[in-house]
Amino acid sequence: MNFELVSRQVLYEGRKVALELLTLEDNRGQRVVKEVCRHPGAVCVLPFLDDETIVMVRNRRWALEGRWIFELPAGTLERGEEPMNCAGRELVEETGYLATRLKRICDFYTAPGILGEHMHAFAAFGLERSQAALEAGEELEVVSVPYARAFEMMAERELVDAKSMLTLLYWERFRKGR
């Protein structure tokens, strides 16, 4: 059964997301409504201080009722911004580290059933100290973590952020050593 888009109603359009109702119709005339969230895309960065140590952030997330969680540095693409440029910008803004080299890891959709966010993951190397510049409302702490410890954190449910987990697992399985 194929559906066709009949109408799109924008309920909210903000700085980072737009909420829409999509009305779809199948070839028998039956209609369904889908709720979707549009997003400009984002990046996730796996920063290596050295071969054994990565940089993470402990971030306060209000979508999780103000809970503090561990994550890799990440952020939203600005209009027209290239993902690699965004990765470098977000790394500096959130951690105060400037990468001398970025390497693409992978890209993925975070929750395609409801969210159009396209995530681009990068590894960062040759980190040099710079100045962090958090956005208004951001609360985070920069932490150095042994690379192997990040995987233990997943197993122990200390690291529960999907973008960070996938980036680490993808790097370990497909990119490490290449």
Side-chain angles (χ1 to χ4, degrees), residues 24-123:
L24 309 175
E25 185 175 275
D26 69 13
N27 52 2
R28 294 178 294 162
Q30 291 190 321
R31 289 188 174 196
V32 296
V33 175
K34 299 282 186 176
E35 299 169 352
V36 297
C37 180
R38 302 284 180 208
H39 189 279
V43 299
C44 183
V45 185
L46 173 54
F48 286 91
L49 281 173
D50 55 47
D51 290 343
E52 307 291 325
T53 313
I54 63 172
V55 176
M56 296 184 78
V57 294
R58 190 169 163 264
N59 201 345
R60 190 167 189 188
R61 291 296 190 181
W62 288 100
L64 304 177
E65 304 299 328
R67 180 176 171 196
W68 288 86
I69 64 170
F70 288 98
E71 302 178 23
L72 292 174
T76 303
L77 288 162
E78 299 291 337
R79 184 178 303 273
E81 185 176 31
E82 289 296 319
M84 187 173 284
N85 293 342
C86 181
R89 176 180 56 77
E90 286 292 342
L91 180 63
V92 171
E93 285 178 6
E94 291 192 356
T95 69
Y97 283 105
L98 177 67
T100 59
R101 186 167 63 96
L102 290 167
K103 181 177 181 175
R104 183 188 174 282
I105 297 175
C106 65
D107 63 289
F108 52 92
Y109 292 94
T110 55
I114 61 166
L115 177 61
E117 181 182 38
H118 187 188
M119 182 74 62
H120 305 267
F122 294 88

